[in-house]
Amino acid sequence: MALFTKDTIDRVREAVDMVHLVSEKTDLRRVGTRWTGLCPFHDERTPSFSVNADEKLYYCFGCGEGGDAFKFVQQTEGLDFQEAVEQLAERSGVQVEREQDDPAAEQRRRRRERLHALLDRATRFYATYLREAAEAAAAREYLASRGLSEDVLAEFRVGYSPSAWDRMLVGARQGGFSEEELMAAGLAQRGRSGGLYDRFRGRIMFPLADARGRVLGFGARQMGEDRGPKYLNTSENDLYHKGRQLFGIDVARKDAMKSGRFVVVEGYTDVLALHQAGIGEAVAIMGTAMTQEQLAELAKVGDSNRRGMVFLALDADRAGREAMLRAARLAEDRGVDLRVIDMPEGTDPADLVNQDGADAFKERMDRAAPMIEFQVRRVLADADLETPSGRDQALGEARKLISAVPERTATRDALVREAADRLDVPVDYVMEQAARTRPASAPILSSTGDALRAERELLTLCLSSGDLGRDYLARPKDDHFALELHRRARDHLVQHFDDPLSALPEDDPALGALVHDVAFAALERPATDERVLRMSLLELERRRIEREIKRASQDGEHTRKSELAAAEQKVLQELGAVMGQTA
Ligand SMILES: [Zn+2]
């Protein structure tokens, strides 16, 4: 879909009633020339949230969340920039225009729309077939035996594909779709003799939709025992990419944005069962290893104020562990708090809520351990304690994991003690071993996780703002970035401002991934209002000072601390000025 024109975005901005918009999320009160209320982004009793009605900006003096109307909608509804423009245009009745596509792009867009329409039609057909067809009785029984209600099946648009060879084919042709379109949507395939037939037959159909609810493909579970693989998915095509999909994301997103967390499970029915049990934030990954793209989608539950949480309720077998460690690294880079729910062996989340109720699952969520802790405990539990070599091996694995936990933290101390205890070696020895294997790129402290999005936000805003952005990008000093990776990204962007994806170092995949993310996010928004850039930079300055205050207070430097507090007051006053408040 082509991007909205700059003019459209300006007119939408013009039309927005900021006070009205924000009032839907929190009550605002007029105080002199400004509006204030309880912050919708963090818990508080006295209002520190401020709205500048004229400039259409918001800022929270408590948690530092701030921006313009578009960002407010992005944050509260979990939308990307273009989606936020669309939604605000709708509510304020602004006629939108998109950038003129070249004819080839226009044709691709129209084709995608046709395929979306076809998949939507297929979804509705399968869902009706599950409810009504005699041959779907066994499927209905199976789903009922898993404890799933008709309501939850309807909400996730679960269906059933007829066992005949060509029901989808015939119906879609009658609806005006071509054979080529059926193939491209992954609904039909060609046999050896060249004839077309339905890809999915006699299977329970789980629609795989994107976050906006558009169906891109299907996961299909067989009902008979003798007909191909148990699970069959749409094969990779222009619309459907397995590594991007999260089953249930369209339904789970609303709840997840509210609670700030996702629950990741393996099976389709697990998602349905959890949803039915009142845990609405569940999604399923297709395949065992989590991809960069899936994590990016899950990370959206966090914001510059709140670190997003992702709970994994997966099989934690030995093979899955390496994959989980990869996910853990991706999560650190994105500032996501990844936790592992300890599941009883051989029991999936659907079984658990069916047998023991929703509370049993919620209790396990409450007890979920951070990824590293979970892995260390697994290594220790699996260790062969009978032989010295078995203990050495476990110690080797454990120290690698422990070395990834920041030093001088309670978590690290506890893990060292546990390892020493279990492997029967001195605490000092484990501590020294772990210190020696300190990884080159140490993960950040979780306490700084809330600063990460603010830093990434500044990079994105600068990149989308032309010469003004180039100027602002040069302003922050190294210590304005809590994450070393963001410092490297800033240096790269300063050097390659006009072509950020060029000259990315091959030996630094984390930098490559971040620059890609920032560059693409910047692409879809037009030049940013200078006030927003200013606010974003001041916010980084405020966070930098707060980090220093913490350090000074740990080191007992009281004079330094009060100097810093005064500096922070000045920054807050400047932020107040941006918000239209006079001191
Ligand atoms: Zn706040």
Side-chain angles (χ1 to χ4, degrees):
M1 188 70 76
L3 303 180
F4 291 113
T5 60
K6 171 102 172 49
D7 176 59
T8 291
I9 291 161
D10 287 343
R11 281 186 293 117
V12 171
R13 198 197 315 267
E14 198 59 33
V16 167
D17 181 337
M18 194 68 188
V19 172
H20 196 243
L21 177 70
V22 175
S23 293
E24 283 174 11
K25 304 291 172 192
T26 184
D27 289 334
L28 291 177
R29 230 159 41 89
R30 193 174 194 132
V31 181
T33 56
R34 61 198 181 91
W35 294 85
T36 177
L38 293 176
C39 176
F41 302 105
H42 85 279
D43 267 331
E44 62 175 6
R45 297 242 172 106
T46 52
S48 36
F49 188 77
S50 194
V51 171
N52 181 334
D54 297 332
E55 307 294 349
K56 301 179 185 187
L57 301 171
Y58 67 96
Y59 183 74
C60 173
F61 290 89
C63 69
E65 195 59 65
D68 58 10
F70 301 114
K71 170 128 183 256
F72 188 80
V73 173
Q74 283 182 260
Q75 299 287 104
T76 51
E77 309 289 330
L79 303 174
D80 65 30
F81 181 81
Q82 292 283 321
E83 290 166 342
V85 174
E86 194 169 7
Q87 193 178 99
L88 282 175
E90 262 168 39
R91 54 177 285 158
S92 44
V94 171
Q95 284 287 325
V96 297
E97 274 166 32
R98 293 177 187 275
E99 300 281 355
Q100 203 62 50
D101 272 328
D102 62 277
E106 179 62 22
Q107 206 177 345
R108 281 200 299 277
R109 188 180 66 78
R110 234 177 269 144
R111 177 180 161 77
R112 270 204 307 276
E113 273 175 14
R114 290 272 301 170
L115 297 183
H116 283 309
L118 174 55
L119 285 162
D120 185 54
R121 180 196 166 95
T123 305
R124 280 181 281 121
F125 169 74
Y126 291 143
T128 308
Y129 205 77
L130 174 66
R131 273 197 314 274
E132 294 172 1
E135 72 160 314
R140 289 193 292 270
E141 267 163 42
Y142 164 77
L143 292 164
S145 78
R146 296 287 281 165
L148 300 170
S149 72
E150 283 177 26
D151 285 348
V152 78
L153 295 174
E155 190 165 5
F156 284 84
R157 296 180 281 177
V158 178
Y160 191 77
S161 52
S163 56
W165 288 84
D166 60 356
R167 284 290 299 274
M168 178 53 57
L169 215 54
V170 170
R173 274 199 204 112
Q174 280 167 0
F177 291 95
S178 70
E179 292 188 347
E180 192 276 331
E181 285 172 327
L182 272 153
M183 297 265 290
L187 292 169
Q189 57 195 43
R190 214 169 273 290
R192 251 171 280 166
S193 57
L196 273 192
Y197 61 93
D198 290 357
R199 176 174 171 82
F200 301 108
R201 299 178 313 282
R203 286 171 179 271
I204 297 175
M205 305 296 291
F206 297 95
L208 305 172
D210 64 13
R212 295 159 76 177
R214 287 178 309 196
V215 175
L216 306 179
F218 294 93
R221 186 192 192 281
Q222 72 159 24
M223 277 310 292
E225 282 309 314
D226 50 1
R227 286 199 284 171
K230 186 168 172 195
Y231 282 98
L232 182 67
N233 277 17
T234 298
S235 42
E236 298 272 315
N237 61 39
D238 287 352
L239 291 180
Y240 176 80
H241 300 277
K242 187 175 170 192
R244 279 186 212 155
Q245 277 329 119
L246 287 162
F247 172 69
I249 185 76
D250 51 325
V251 181
R253 190 171 67 165
K254 262 227 152 79
D255 281 353
M257 292 306 291
K258 217 175 289 163
S259 65
R261 65 188 190 196
F262 271 111
V263 180
V264 177
V265 298
E266 261 159 328
Y268 305 115
T269 50
D270 293 327
V271 172
L272 270 60
L274 288 180
H275 187 88
Q276 192 172 283
I279 299 152
E281 308 105 318
V283 295
I285 47 173
M286 264 99 9
T288 47
M290 195 183 295
T291 66
Q292 180 88 252
E293 284 149 317
Q294 287 169 332
L295 201 71
E297 187 65 47
L298 297 172
K300 287 182 184 166
V301 288
D303 50 47
S304 55
N305 161 45
R306 179 173 68 178
R307 203 167 188 232
M309 296 185 86
V310 174
F311 290 82
L312 303 180
L314 307 172
D315 266 350
D317 56 10
R318 250 189 122 71
R321 234 178 270 161
E322 191 58 30
M324 284 217 254
L325 194 59
R326 263 208 310 278
R329 288 206 191 97
L330 293 175
E332 277 299 344
D333 276 351
R334 293 195 172 271
V336 171
D337 185 355
L338 199 62
R339 298 196 171 222
V340 181
I341 299 176
D342 195 11
M343 294 294 296
E345 212 149 317
T347 307
D348 60 31
D351 294 334
L352 192 68
V353 291
N354 283 340
Q355 288 159 17
D356 303 337
D359 286 344
F361 191 83
K362 285 181 187 152
E363 271 163 31
R364 282 177 187 269
M365 275 180 80
D366 290 340
R367 282 189 279 122
M371 176 61 98
I372 299 271
E373 281 181 58
F374 177 78
Q375 283 176 310
V376 171
R377 291 198 178 113
R378 291 296 293 227
V379 165
L380 295 178
D382 291 352
D384 169 17
L385 299 175
E386 301 302 311
T387 64
S389 72
R391 294 215 302 267
D392 275 346
Q393 201 199 336
L395 180 60
E397 283 183 48
R399 75 167 193 210
K400 246 189 272 169
L401 292 165
I402 294 173
S403 70
V405 181
E407 274 173 298
R408 283 188 291 176
T409 57
T411 306
R412 183 157 166 143
D413 288 350
L415 290 176
V416 164
R417 225 167 296 125
E418 273 184 52
D421 234 35
R422 171 93 177 143
L423 302 174
D424 198 19
V425 289
V427 168
D428 288 351
Y429 180 67
V430 180
M431 215 169 333
E432 184 202 307
Q433 289 282 309
R436 273 204 285 166
T437 35
R438 187 149 184 78
S441 63
I444 44 101
L445 284 160
S446 64
S447 61
T448 61
D450 56 358
L452 300 186
R453 266 161 228 280
E455 294 168 14
R456 185 186 293 246
E457 162 100 350
L458 180 77
L459 297 176
T460 309
L461 291 174
C462 286
L463 205 53
S464 67
S465 304
D467 284 341
L468 189 64
R470 194 195 296 267
D471 178 32
Y472 269 83
L473 193 58
R475 295 189 194 188
K477 300 187 194 71
D478 279 358
D479 60 356
H480 278 108
F481 296 100
L483 187 64
E484 164 67 25
L485 175 65
H486 289 163
R487 251 168 270 168
R488 299 208 298 277
R490 192 274 314 268
D491 293 346
H492 175 87
L493 294 174
V494 165
Q495 277 189 28
H496 304 279
F497 192 82
D498 296 313
D499 189 6
L501 298 184
S502 69
L504 281 167
E506 270 175 33
D507 58 353
D508 195 347
L511 177 66
L514 175 68
V515 170
H516 266 98
D517 280 2
V518 169
F520 284 115
L523 260 186
E524 64 164 34
R525 64 168 87 208
T528 309
D529 189 330
E530 180 165 2
R531 278 176 301 252
V532 176
L533 274 171
R534 227 177 110 61
M535 185 192 282
S536 177
L537 190 61
L538 283 167
E539 180 57 28
L540 250 56
E541 171 69 358
R542 182 186 165 192
R543 289 180 187 274
R544 183 191 69 81
I545 296 175
E546 280 191 350
R547 284 196 294 276
E548 278 204 48
I549 290 178
K550 213 169 176 183
R551 225 168 296 144
S553 125
Q554 274 167 3
D555 298 346
E557 298 176 26
H558 299 297
T559 325
R560 171 117 186 89
K561 201 177 148 188
S562 54
E563 282 167 15
L564 287 163
E568 188 179 22
Q569 273 312 308
K570 256 189 86 187
V571 174
L572 286 171
Q573 270 169 21
E574 284 186 57
L575 277 162
V578 176
M579 291 308 295
Q581 302 170 11
T582 40

